[in-house]
Amino acid sequence: MSRKENAVSVQCYHCGEDCSDKSIHAHEKEFCCEGCKMVYEILNQNGLCDYYSISKNPGINQRIKIRENKFSFLDDENIQQSLIVFKDDNQTHISFYLPQMHCSSCLWLLENLHQLNENVISCKVNFTRKEADIIFNHRSVSMRQIAEMLTAIGYEPYISLSDAKKAKPKLNRSKIYKLGIAGFCFANIMLLSFPEYLGIDAKEQNLIDVFRYLSLILSLPVFFYSSSEFYISAWKSLKHGFLNIDAPIVLAVMVTFGRSVYQVLTATGSGYFDSMSGIVFFMLIGRVLQDKTYEQLSFERDYTSYFPIAVTRVKDEKEETAALPDIKLNDTLLIHNQELIPADGILTRGKAVIDYSFVTGESLPVEKEMGEIVYAGGKQIGSNIEILVVKEVAQSYLTKLWNREEIKQNIKDEERSFVHLLAKYFTWIVLFLSITSATYWYFHDIHKMWGAATAVLIVACPCALLLSNTFTNGNILRILGRKHLYLRNAQTIEDIANINYIVFDKTGTLTTGRYNEINYDGMPLNKDLKRKIAALTSQSTHPMSKAIAAWTNESSRIKVVAFEEFAGKGIEGIVDGELITLGSKSYVTGGHAERDVESSVYISVEGTVLGKFSFRNQYRAHIPALIKTLQKNYQLAVLSGDNAGEKDFLQELLGFDAHILFHQKPEDKLDAIKTLQQKGKKVMMIGDGLNDAGALKQADVGIAVTENSNNFTPASDAILEAKELPQLFKFIQLCKDNKKVVMSAFIVSIVYNIIGNYYAVQGMLSPMHAAILMPCSTISILLITFGFSNLSAWRMKLK
Amino acid sequence: MSVIVLLLIASIIVASLFLAAFIWSVKNGQFDDEASAPLRMLFDDKPLNKEEK
């Protein structure tokens, strides 16, 4: 211990990891491992050491070695075909997803890939999506070599089954075009309107006509192209018998345009072209801001992006690569360390220690013996194993879950926002006003009738409501995004504000999913005995043994004789003449096996039971504090796929009325959420694994928690980085404030509306009044929405 | 007066050029990745060029 404290902390030159205890000294620099050193050497040889001067310690830790022929599947013609974007005689274009990319050095190095290998023609990085578009000469370098080169410098491409599907969705840029054109027309029409507002000599009637007709021409693209955004959405909702906010806006735009065209053609006025194009322009800005979601994150992932694209198949004693969809019944698959089991099968060779934590929520790896069934989705830890496929990939337990009806359907009504409801009332009031004023003028001064009626529609369009809504949503999305809570769309903000029940998953969400805390109950162990335990446990590769070995904090070279390991039971061996047994309760004490209530290992020496080690999950930091705050406002529950070892602790944490259920299968979780919803609860589900996928989708709001937002996450409404989980309560509060901000901006806009209507009903609304009112109300709305939403974020210290 | 009409035409043509430039840049994908462009411009040219100097 003291040695560590005294040592000056040494950082790895490559990855920046602390390596004070054992560093490798080479090239006058310190490295934490051979891997990092090797990357440095590669870069050094190729004169790419600028890599280290752009950002400090930019590298990726290389401690975990990647299997040598991991990318051998890229030699397969079919798999190559499914990945290639474009290919001609000399060049191949390919796009790799490189999740390790994180800084400007990464960008620089990857774009200089051609210096590492002259056959790379170019490499262009898309930093937001963490993708590299690589063009290479396939005559002299293979795709596999490219992937291996990337891996060698620390950027291992992540290739999953979902990459094999062709045709990536094309980016929709139409909104940007519409915005650009609306802006162009708006500014020019504005310019052309000034002379008339400021007073132009009546003698120059010709000039007035030129200005008016030019405005008319310039407003055509706005009316026919830019506004189509609103026409489409309004038409869609009308078809469903629903009046959304776009409907009254479309009405206002059409009335304004019609009246303006009439005025210009009959030479009775200059029309409201500037106000119309201006409002369309601002509304489009709002839409673009609000819809700018996180395209680098995928909220729609299914199992295909979790599964590998290819696996190793053993056929006639030879290993070959097979694309995953080609796996048939009775194939034998070779699964390497840390690889995923892609299909349900029977273990035929080797010892399986399978980590199902992501799939089922069980926090401990499961040991399987030959002849036992292993389910798809688990990760093998340890040596290689072989399995005989008994169910095809599409039929396996895990993929079946995805094919359930509840998960498949994705009809989340986007139009349940309160804004649409408000717009509906608003529309009726406006129509009523318009008709009233028309009737009034019909009896008093029939010439003013049409003018007054249309003016009311023009002034009172609920564009202010749309503006305040879109701008506030956009701003809140950005504030949350900066805090690493990424929402799928703006509707999610409102959904989060409305929840009243929060369901947590345990493994991986509340806990880190690792066993870090070990408690020992029983007779005290002296140092000598601890050393013996360490000697015994270090013989075994089982994760629990490893954890106990680490817990003893001893290293010993005592010889262990007659060591034996009984899978699923325990280990024993004679250490220094004493028979020590470690294992499950039934194995060590001979008592009958209870259903696993907790994860524990019993110890006995020479037949006397000394005590037990109980394993506790490590809870994420500040979880108890978060629960305490949430408890006051929400009902809480925990649905865990794990054993009930933590029940008492959780019950105490969440309070005695909280539902805490263990041994929950993915379907159970989904059904539990459904039952809650049937009772009228608005449920937020927070989970991380594939076993939560159904529940996440079923819940009113599903938040996927992840250590790194670029990792695989099940389909959800939002992705939250685990370290920000303690802030959850503040996030919910901010979403609630969203509505208040929208409402206050809307009330202000109503004041403008009343002023405008005052003129409108009297038939006195001149284009100039409209031209003053429109920017005034727009600017004050923008100030209110940005100001208030930032203020409330700042108050909650989320800024 | 005809001067004003001439100026009008000129100004709208200039504005249209900018609009065209904007549309071209969107089409070209310049707004797809906002993170890497500002970083990319800070990088020096290839080290090889330095040696030549």
Side-chain angles (χ1 to χ4, degrees):
Chain A
M1 284 297 273
S2 60
R3 183 171 51 91
K4 245 186 193 169
E5 280 160 19
N6 293 339
V8 191
S9 94
V10 181
Q11 279 189 332
C12 175
Y13 185 68
H14 179 71
C15 68
E17 191 164 292
D18 182 49
C19 50
S20 332
D21 40 354
K22 42 183 178 198
S23 68
I24 301 166
H25 189 81
H27 312 282
E28 298 167 7
K29 292 174 176 83
E30 305 291 335
F31 296 98
C32 67
C33 57
E34 280 297 323
C36 286
K37 194 184 107 192
M38 253 170 57
V39 178
Y40 172 79
E41 281 165 357
I42 296 174
L43 298 183
N44 198 15
Q45 266 168 27
N46 291 284
L48 287 170
C49 277
D50 276 0
Y51 181 58
Y52 296 100
S53 53
I54 296 168
S55 335
K56 210 173 168 233
N57 310 115
I60 292 102
N61 191 292
Q62 299 292 313
R63 267 189 204 181
I64 299 159
K65 283 216 173 59
I66 288 145
R67 188 163 54 83
E68 208 163 272
N69 50 2
K70 181 167 180 181
F71 290 104
S72 57
F73 64 85
L74 287 178
D75 287 335
D76 186 285
E77 194 66 34
N78 287 333
I79 291 171
Q80 273 188 17
Q81 278 306 324
S82 65
L83 293 171
I84 287 170
V85 183
F86 168 82
K87 187 178 185 176
D88 67 10
D89 288 348
N90 299 312
Q91 302 185 342
T92 301
H93 295 221
I94 185 174
S95 179
F96 277 134
Y97 174 52
L98 309 173
Q100 276 88 352
M101 201 189 296
H102 65 282
C103 67
S104 45
S105 278
C106 303
L107 178 72
W108 179 83
L109 178 61
L110 289 168
E111 299 212 328
N112 279 298
L113 213 60
H114 55 91
Q115 296 202 31
L116 274 182
N117 188 327
E118 55 186 3
N119 296 313
V120 174
I121 297 162
S122 84
C123 176
K124 190 154 193 292
V125 171
N126 184 326
F127 202 76
T128 20
R129 279 207 300 252
K130 305 211 174 198
E131 275 176 3
D133 296 324
I134 300 169
I135 304 175
F136 62 92
N137 182 344
H138 59 248
R139 286 165 191 262
S140 13
V141 68
S142 73
M143 193 187 289
R144 176 180 171 180
Q145 282 167 310
I146 298 281
E148 281 172 349
M149 178 175 71
L150 285 168
T151 311
I153 55 170
Y155 301 95
E156 187 196 340
Y158 181 80
I159 305 169
S160 73
L161 183 57
S162 63
D163 293 321
K165 286 186 214 145
K166 277 275 172 114
K168 281 187 181 170
K170 260 195 140 183
L171 272 174
N172 188 3
R173 296 177 183 141
S174 69
K175 245 181 225 161
I176 309 273
Y177 293 135
K178 285 174 185 167
L179 179 66
I181 286 171
F184 163 79
C185 297
F186 165 55
N188 281 296
I189 296 173
M190 195 78 162
L191 203 70
L192 295 171
S193 310
F194 269 125
E196 202 156 332
Y197 293 159
L198 301 176
I200 191 167
D201 221 322
K203 277 182 272 176
E204 309 209 295
Q205 187 58 44
N206 292 342
L207 207 54
I208 292 179
D209 283 344
V210 170
F211 287 147
R212 282 179 181 174
Y213 279 96
L214 260 179
S215 301
L216 173 61
I217 293 167
L218 280 170
S219 71
L220 292 177
V222 178
F223 184 73
F224 287 106
Y225 180 61
S226 298
S227 319
S228 60
E229 191 69 35
F230 304 100
Y231 304 154
I232 295 166
S233 137
W235 177 242
K236 266 189 199 154
S237 77
L238 275 179
K239 264 204 302 204
H240 290 113
F242 181 85
L243 203 61
N244 76 354
I245 187 164
D246 289 333
I249 283 169
V250 167
L251 181 69
V253 168
M254 285 182 165
V255 168
T256 318
F257 184 74
R259 179 171 165 175
S260 307
V261 170
Y262 172 79
Q263 282 191 347
V264 169
L265 292 182
T266 56
T268 45
S270 59
Y272 304 88
F273 292 125
D274 55 341
S275 299
M276 183 198 85
S277 46
I279 209 70
V280 170
F281 175 61
F282 284 116
M283 287 191 300
L284 278 172
I285 295 184
R287 282 273 156 96
V288 169
L289 262 184
Q290 180 187 261
D291 296 348
K292 188 168 168 47
T293 40
Y294 306 90
E295 56 173 276
Q296 76 270 29
L297 304 175
S298 173
F299 294 95
E300 299 289 356
R301 284 173 175 145
D302 63 3
Y303 67 93
T304 54
S305 44
Y306 184 57
F307 276 21
I309 189 168
V311 283
T312 320
R313 177 163 56 187
V314 184
K315 212 169 194 180
D316 308 325
E317 300 296 311
K318 264 193 272 171
E319 292 179 19
E320 59 171 27
T321 313
L324 200 53
D326 297 340
I327 297 298
K328 295 277 167 334
L329 282 185
N330 297 325
D331 278 351
T332 303
L333 306 181
L334 179 66
I335 313 284
H336 300 89
N337 181 23
Q338 295 294 334
E339 268 185 358
L340 199 81
I341 297 169
D344 298 352
I346 294 173
L347 189 65
T348 53
R349 185 179 288 175
K351 206 178 112 207
V353 180
I354 301 166
D355 175 10
Y356 279 118
S357 59
F358 202 64
V359 182
T360 62
E362 286 168 273
S363 45
L364 268 192
V366 183
E367 276 185 73
K368 295 278 181 187
E369 285 294 295
M370 270 194 267
E372 279 189 278
I373 283 198
V374 288
Y375 290 105
K379 222 176 214 173
Q380 161 68 0
I381 305 169
S383 55
N384 298 352
I385 54 168
E386 282 181 23
I387 62 163
L388 182 76
V389 178
V390 293
K391 266 183 190 165
E392 282 175 41
V393 178
Q395 297 296 315
S396 69
Y397 170 71
L398 186 70
T399 40
K400 259 193 197 152
L401 181 71
W402 247 281
N403 296 330
R404 267 187 71 152
E405 281 304 304
E406 290 90 338
I407 297 187
K408 264 191 173 173
Q409 56 171 310
N410 195 18
I411 319 155
K412 284 208 171 173
D413 185 10
E414 298 296 337
E415 286 169 347
R416 58 215 136 96
S417 170
F418 73 100
V419 171
H420 295 298
L421 202 72
L422 218 72
K424 205 162 96 184
Y425 292 124
F426 198 83
T427 314
W428 292 123
I429 293 172
V430 170
L431 282 177
F432 172 75
L433 252 179
S434 166
I435 291 167
T436 322
S437 62
T439 352
Y440 174 84
W441 287 114
Y442 180 74
F443 293 112
H444 290 82
D445 182 356
I446 199 154
H447 298 294
K448 278 191 175 176
M449 184 183 84
W450 282 111
T454 49
V456 170
L457 290 178
I458 291 167
V459 167
C461 111
C463 44
L465 182 60
L466 183 92
L467 279 179
S468 60
N469 189 38
T470 50
F471 277 95
T472 316
N473 284 345
N475 201 30
I476 299 266
L477 282 175
R478 279 193 313 127
I479 292 170
L480 292 176
R482 270 205 295 266
K483 285 288 165 187
H484 308 289
L485 171 63
Y486 307 101
L487 303 187
R488 176 211 286 268
N489 57 27
Q491 181 59 42
T492 312
I493 298 176
E494 216 176 295
D495 292 339
I496 290 179
N498 287 337
I499 55 144
N500 52 22
Y501 204 105
I502 303 178
V503 180
F504 289 99
D505 165 52
K506 187 184 70 112
T507 317
T509 306
L510 291 177
T511 70
T512 54
R514 282 185 292 264
Y515 274 95
N516 287 19
E517 272 181 61
I518 297 177
N519 279 330
Y520 174 73
D521 289 328
M523 279 181 263
L525 305 172
N526 57 29
K527 203 174 161 80
D528 187 43
L529 192 55
K530 272 189 182 176
R531 207 172 279 157
K532 287 177 186 167
I533 295 170
L536 180 70
T537 47
S538 55
Q539 300 289 317
S540 159
T541 55
H542 192 281
M544 275 177 153
S545 301
K546 280 186 180 165
I548 294 176
W551 173 82
T552 58
N553 208 4
E554 300 282 343
S555 60
S556 69
R557 294 203 180 79
I558 313 174
K559 215 173 168 205
V560 182
V561 229
F563 174 80
E564 259 189 287
E565 187 158 6
F566 305 97
K569 291 176 182 161
I571 52 174
E572 65 170 36
I574 298 167
V575 193
D576 225 359
E578 277 185 309
L579 174 75
I580 301 182
T581 319
L582 278 164
S584 68
K585 190 176 180 187
S586 55
Y587 172 65
V588 177
T589 64
H592 70 111
E594 297 164 27
R595 187 173 173 158
D596 52 345
V597 218
E598 61 173 356
S599 316
S600 54
V601 167
Y602 284 74
I603 174 166
S604 76
V605 176
E606 292 290 343
T608 353
V609 181
L610 293 184
K612 64 170 181 177
F613 297 95
S614 39
F615 289 73
R616 279 259 313 263
N617 290 140
Q618 195 189 26
Y619 283 78
R620 292 189 192 280
H622 311 300
I623 287 292
L626 170 73
I627 301 270
K628 285 265 141 27
T629 354
L630 287 177
Q631 239 167 9
K632 290 177 199 144
N633 301 285
Y634 301 98
Q635 277 179 284
L636 303 178
V638 170
L639 297 174
S640 175
D642 203 8
N643 63 43
E646 309 270 314
K647 188 167 192 304
D648 295 341
F649 177 78
L650 276 172
Q651 200 80 61
E652 203 176 308
L653 191 68
L654 276 97
F656 287 90
D657 50 344
H659 279 282
I660 299 176
L661 297 170
F662 293 95
H663 299 290
Q664 295 285 299
K665 292 200 183 68
E667 299 87 355
D668 299 339
K669 290 193 178 191
L670 198 158
D671 293 336
I673 303 271
K674 238 184 185 173
T675 322
L676 284 172
Q677 285 174 328
Q678 275 156 9
K679 287 184 198 156
K681 308 278 187 215
K682 295 269 177 228
V683 187
M684 174 192 267
M685 170 80 202
I686 302 171
D688 74 312
L690 290 178
N691 62 329
D692 304 316
L696 287 172
K697 200 117 196 199
Q698 177 67 35
D700 296 282
V701 181
I703 299 183
V705 173
T706 172
E707 300 285 343
N708 175 351
S709 55
N710 291 300
N711 282 354
F712 173 84
T713 48
S716 57
D717 297 312
I719 297 173
L720 173 64
E721 282 196 13
K723 63 177 191 295
E724 301 290 346
L725 186 62
Q727 307 249 45
L728 183 68
F729 183 67
K730 289 181 184 172
F731 293 149
I732 300 175
Q733 289 302 310
L734 188 65
C735 291
K736 284 187 165 172
D737 282 355
N738 176 57
K739 196 169 174 175
K740 290 182 204 153
V741 176
V742 174
M743 285 310 282
S744 49
F746 181 54
I747 287 166
V748 170
S749 79
I750 284 183
V751 174
Y752 283 102
N753 251 318
I754 292 172
I755 300 172
N757 268 315
Y758 171 75
Y759 291 106
V761 290
Q762 301 182 60
M764 286 179 2
L765 183 83
S766 73
M768 193 156 126
H769 286 130
I772 293 170
L773 274 176
M774 189 273 299
C776 280
S777 79
T778 307
I779 288 166
S780 43
I781 285 164
L782 294 195
L783 286 179
I784 290 169
T785 52
F786 276 105
F788 281 11
S789 51
N790 283 342
L791 185 74
S792 76
W794 176 75
R795 261 212 326 252
M796 280 180 258
K797 300 195 173 63
L798 285 176
K799 267 300 245 202
Chain B
M1 196 200 87
S2 56
V3 177
I4 292 181
V5 176
L6 215 70
L7 279 176
L8 264 181
I9 294 167
S11 85
I12 287 181
I13 287 173
V14 171
S16 314
L17 286 180
F18 278 103
L19 180 68
F22 173 75
I23 291 173
W24 169 79
S25 67
V26 174
K27 209 167 245 167
N28 210 17
Q30 291 186 14
F31 293 88
D32 293 354
D33 180 19
E34 289 153 16
S36 44
L39 294 172
R40 203 173 281 139
M41 66 179 277
L42 295 175
F43 298 147
D44 293 331
D45 289 339
K46 295 164 203 163
L48 287 174
N49 296 353
K50 273 185 207 161
E51 282 162 29
E52 281 166 19
K53 278 177 195 172

